[in-house]
């Protein structure tokens, strides 16, 4: 196809909408918005299956940037070789139809890819499955969207005299669209209508551009009709099944908040909350009073370890499992909860029998702690984003804040989630961080029976000096003294447990802690 001196093809000159540059700028705006909406939608689509950890975010951002870069190179070459705007808007239509199909078929592709990998891959399963899923689902439409800007530059430029101004305006439109594509899904559409409908909203907005273009030119009408049918079918069928589409019974609620995918399931003996469809239980309530069979039972030793058990602060309240356990066994204890996700707090009242007389603040745990002036006998740190610990709640500064909010003789208990003792493991790093604040003599860990959780207990010794104790452990001589000091301090811990066990009334907790303490005593003998 030949072009005139301005570089525009006869097709471009014959299209009524291209006689003004306004439609080109609008196209760039919605293209930028669709890219960011797809990226944020990708994180929420993958999170229920692979979590929303930094690794998953890195995979999403990296693969999308690769797709956009390759699309830009290929799109620029095609714009020079064949400056046909019909082909450009056909690519936009294809990208919009693909994005519209993501809520319908994306979840099936993820499960299919995960099922194929789980029998063939022994290490790094989550990272590899997330990467392949992202490549299959999101790279094709983002590659197509990456071709848009070079083509628009070709059609919007009349001469080299205003070339830089045209590129600057197109870039501004793309950036403004990207800003809206970032904020709207996160703060408006996903909390209000969910990830699936969010994909449909932004793919529908993108699809309008080629539809208007082809209808105005009266070309590609059949292709346009097919794309509309695809969009409508996906809009009808997508909401019929959720993320856990294979679950036929037991799901009482499935939805999303600004922070999490949320699933409530009911069983004969309990109700559970999960933020991941494949693994993990974030909260539970038992239909009958008693132990949960989870890490909350082990964590009940914390008030027994403390000098007093009159007040408790729970950072990461969830639906109030630990608060209910404390209220059951320590009915006079004053409890304060902090939960960042208001939707979880709402579900706690609706499905999990959370006592309404326990105050719960909707706030980030660290920020709330920084503003709070009170001290507590017990502080539970159980804040997780999916299956990962927020980095701001795993630092030396954070645990110093926790220690400062503990009364003398108070105890902090941390849910460390995964049992992992390897060199360089998260547990090793987290234990070292806490030890530098509380002192290794005041630490005790316990693996939760029949689970992957580990609980770490740290006592705020009345004499303080946690950091100096940790520093002493760097030498072998002082390390031995610290070990003996730890044994002495933990004997006091165990004594508190032994005195308090009758109050707990459940023999399972007695067996757990007698077993843990006996083994620790044996391994700690000088």
């Amino acid at each position: 196809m030949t072009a005139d001196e301005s570089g525009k093809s006869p097709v471009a000159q014959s299209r009524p909408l291209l006689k003004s540059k306004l439609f080109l700028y609008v196209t760039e705006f919605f293209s930028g918005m669709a890219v960011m909406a797809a990226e944020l939608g990708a994180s929420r689509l993958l999170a229920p299956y692979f979590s929303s950890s930094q690794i998953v975010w890195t995979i999403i951002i990296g693969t999308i940037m690769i797709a956009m870069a390759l699309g830009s190179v290929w799109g620029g070459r095609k714009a020079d070789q064949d400056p046909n705007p019909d082909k450009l808007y056909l690519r936009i239509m294809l990208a919009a139809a693909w994005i519209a199909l993501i809520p319908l078929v994306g979840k099936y592709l993820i499960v299919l890819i995960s099922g194929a990998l789980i029998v063939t891959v022994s290490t790094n399963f989550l990272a590899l499955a997330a990467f392949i899923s992202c490549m299959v689902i999101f790279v094709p439409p983002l590659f197509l969207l990456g071709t848009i800007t070079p083509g628009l530059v070709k059609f919007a430029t009349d001469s080299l005299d205003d070339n830089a101004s045209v590129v600057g305006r197109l870039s501004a439109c793309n950036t403004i669209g990207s800003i809206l594509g970032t904020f709207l899904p996160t703060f408006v559409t996903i909390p209000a209508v969910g990830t699936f409908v969010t994909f449909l909203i932004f793919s529908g907005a993108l699809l309008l551009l080629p539809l208007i273009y082809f209808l105005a030119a009266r070309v590609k009408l059949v292709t346009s009709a097919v794309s509309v049918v695809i969009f409508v079918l996906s809009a009808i069928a997508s909401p019929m099944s959720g993320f856990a589409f294979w679950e036929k019974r037991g799901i009482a609620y499935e939805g999303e908040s600004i922070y999490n995918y949320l699933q409530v399931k009911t069983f004969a003996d309990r109700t559970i909350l999960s933020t991941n469809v494949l693994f993990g239980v974030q909260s539970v309530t038992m239909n009958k009073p008693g132990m949960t069979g989870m890490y909350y039972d082990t964590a009940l030793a914390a008030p027994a370890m403390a000098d007093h058990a009159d007040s408790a602060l729970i950072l990461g309240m969830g639906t109030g499992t630990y608060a209910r356990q404390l209220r059951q066994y320590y009915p006079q204890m004053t409890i304060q909860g902090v939960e960042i996700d208001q939707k979880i707090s709402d579900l706690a009242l609706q499905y999990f029998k959370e006592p309404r007389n326990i105050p719960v603040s909707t706030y980030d745990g660290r920020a709330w702690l920084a503003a709070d002036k009170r001290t507590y006998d017990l502080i539970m740190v159980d804040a997780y984003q999916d299956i990962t610990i927020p980095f701001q709640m795993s630092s030396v500064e954070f645990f110093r804040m926790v220690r400062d909010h503990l009364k003398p003789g108070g105890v902090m208990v941390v849910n460390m989630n995964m049992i992992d003792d390897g060199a360089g493991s998260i547990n090793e790093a987290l234990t070292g961080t806490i030890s530098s604040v509380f002192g290794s003599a005041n630490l005790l860990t316990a693996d939760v029976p029949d689970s992957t959780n580990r609980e770490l207990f740290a006592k705020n010794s009345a004499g303080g000096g946690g950091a100096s104790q940790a520093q002493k452990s760097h030498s072998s001589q002082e390390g031995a003294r610290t070990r003996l000091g730890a044994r002495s301090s933990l004997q006091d811990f165990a004594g508190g447990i032994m005195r308090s066990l009758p109050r707990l009334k459940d023999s399972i907790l007695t067996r757990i802690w007698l077993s843990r303490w006996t083994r620790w005593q044996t391994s700690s003998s000088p």
Side-chain angles (χ1 to χ4, degrees):
M1 181 178 293
T2 60
D4 63 12
E5 293 180 358
S6 67
K8 295 182 179 179
S9 68
V11 175
Q13 294 175 342
S14 65
R15 297 301 181 235
L17 286 176
L18 300 189
K19 292 179 180 179
S20 169
K21 295 179 182 178
L22 178 61
F23 191 71
L24 298 176
Y25 293 136
V26 171
T27 300
E28 184 73 351
F29 172 85
F30 280 99
S31 172
M33 186 167 65
V35 168
M36 291 309 302
E39 183 172 330
L40 288 167
S43 71
R44 296 304 294 260
L45 181 68
L46 298 180
Y49 306 97
F50 307 121
S51 85
S52 58
S53 66
Q54 187 175 4
I55 293 175
V56 175
W57 264 110
T58 300
I59 290 170
I60 293 171
I61 295 172
T63 52
I64 287 178
M65 290 180 70
I66 291 171
M68 294 291 293
L70 294 176
S72 296
V73 173
W74 188 83
R77 184 181 304 165
K78 294 299 292 184
D80 287 335
Q81 294 174 353
D82 185 9
N84 186 342
D86 288 4
K87 294 182 179 180
L88 175 67
Y89 281 91
L90 195 60
R91 292 197 292 271
I92 296 176
M93 179 175 284
L94 180 58
W98 188 295
I99 294 172
L101 284 172
I102 288 175
L104 179 61
V105 302
K107 52 200 171 189
Y108 297 101
L109 289 174
I110 290 173
V111 173
L112 182 64
I113 292 168
S114 300
L117 289 176
I118 202 167
V119 296
T120 58
V121 176
S122 58
T123 58
N124 298 319
F125 163 74
L126 286 181
L128 188 58
F131 175 73
I132 295 176
S133 298
C134 195
M135 290 287 291
V136 171
I137 298 170
F138 293 100
V139 164
L142 272 298
F143 173 86
L144 293 172
L145 291 177
T147 69
I148 305 306
T149 299
L152 293 177
V153 170
K154 186 75 172 182
F155 303 127
T157 302
D158 295 320
S159 69
L160 291 178
D161 293 336
D162 67 346
N163 183 58
S165 297
V166 169
V167 172
R169 285 192 289 269
L170 286 170
S171 178
C173 289
N174 186 286
T175 301
I176 295 171
S178 298
I179 292 171
L180 287 177
T182 301
F183 284 95
L184 287 178
T186 301
F187 295 107
V188 180
T189 62
I190 291 177
V193 294
T195 299
F196 293 168
V197 178
T198 294
F199 276 116
L200 293 169
I201 290 173
F202 287 94
S203 64
L206 185 64
L207 183 60
L208 283 176
L209 296 172
L211 289 177
I212 293 172
Y213 173 84
F214 289 129
L215 288 175
R218 300 184 181 221
V219 297
K220 305 290 185 183
L221 298 182
V222 174
T223 304
S224 298
V226 171
S227 67
V228 171
V229 170
I230 291 174
F231 178 85
V232 172
L233 288 176
S234 183
I236 294 173
S238 295
M240 291 184 179
S241 61
F243 287 92
F245 56 86
W246 59 87
E247 298 277 6
K248 302 300 182 183
R249 301 167 58 186
I251 295 183
Y253 174 86
E254 187 179 41
E256 296 172 83
S257 69
I258 194 172
Y259 296 102
N260 294 294
Y261 162 79
L262 302 171
Q263 181 192 94
V264 177
K265 294 179 68 174
T266 57
F267 298 93
D269 63 334
R270 66 187 64 198
T271 300
I272 66 171
L273 171 74
S274 295
T275 59
N276 189 292
V277 300
L278 297 179
F279 49 82
V281 174
Q282 277 62 49
S283 288
V284 61
T285 184
M286 308 303 293
N287 294 343
K288 296 181 180 180
M291 296 285 105
T292 65
M294 297 175 62
Y295 66 90
Y296 306 103
D297 303 343
T298 305
L300 276 176
M305 294 175 174
D307 290 356
H308 303 279
D310 300 322
S311 59
L313 170 65
I314 304 173
L315 301 178
M317 181 75 165
T319 64
T321 304
Y322 194 54
R324 286 189 296 275
Q325 296 294 92
L326 290 176
R327 180 57 56 87
Q328 179 178 347
Y329 296 108
Y330 296 87
Q332 303 305 316
M333 180 181 286
T334 301
I335 304 171
Q336 169 69 53
V338 180
E339 172 56 52
I340 195 171
D341 196 333
Q342 178 62 52
K343 187 63 178 179
I344 290 180
S345 298
D346 294 340
L347 293 175
L349 296 174
Q350 184 176 357
Y351 294 101
F352 291 86
K353 306 175 185 176
E354 182 175 275
R356 292 182 179 271
N357 60 352
I358 295 179
V360 181
S361 298
T362 304
Y363 222 70
D364 173 78
R366 178 165 177 167
W368 193 92
L369 202 61
D372 187 33
K373 303 301 181 184
R374 292 170 291 180
T375 56
Y376 305 87
D377 295 309
L378 164 65
I379 297 179
M380 169 70 152
V381 181
D382 191 21
Y384 278 84
Q385 178 67 34
D386 295 321
I387 58 172
T388 57
I389 301 174
F391 70 92
Q392 75 272 17
M393 298 184 71
S394 57
S395 65
V396 170
E397 293 78 9
F398 169 72
F399 288 113
R400 284 175 181 163
M401 291 173 61
V402 174
R403 182 193 62 192
D404 293 343
H405 282 77
L406 282 173
K407 294 179 180 179
V411 170
M412 173 189 73
V413 54
V414 180
N415 177 31
M416 299 177 70
N417 195 7
M418 298 295 182
I419 295 176
D420 183 5
D421 290 318
S425 67
I426 182 65
N427 279 356
E428 181 185 55
L430 194 59
T431 301
T433 299
I434 297 173
S435 176
S436 70
V437 175
F438 285 86
S440 59
N442 295 310
L443 263 60
L444 177 66
T445 61
D447 294 342
V448 180
D450 302 318
S451 92
T452 60
N453 290 79
R454 169 175 293 171
E455 302 303 289
L456 183 147
F457 301 85
K459 188 167 186 178
N460 183 27
S461 59
S468 63
Q469 289 174 333
Q471 292 170 354
K472 292 178 182 179
S473 64
H474 289 299
S475 68
S476 58
Q477 182 178 7
E478 295 299 334
R481 294 177 184 174
T482 299
R483 197 169 183 82
L484 290 173
R487 186 178 177 186
S488 175
S489 297
L490 290 172
Q491 283 174 343
D492 294 336
F493 279 21
I497 297 172
M498 300 287 280
R499 289 190 299 272
S500 301
L501 280 174
R503 284 183 288 165
L504 298 180
K505 302 176 184 177
D506 286 270
S507 59
I508 182 173
L509 196 63
T510 309
R511 293 196 301 271
I512 290 171
W513 278 100
L514 285 176
S515 172
R516 296 294 177 193
W517 173 246
T518 301
R519 286 207 296 270
W520 193 90
Q521 271 195 313
T522 302
S523 62
S524 302
S525 299

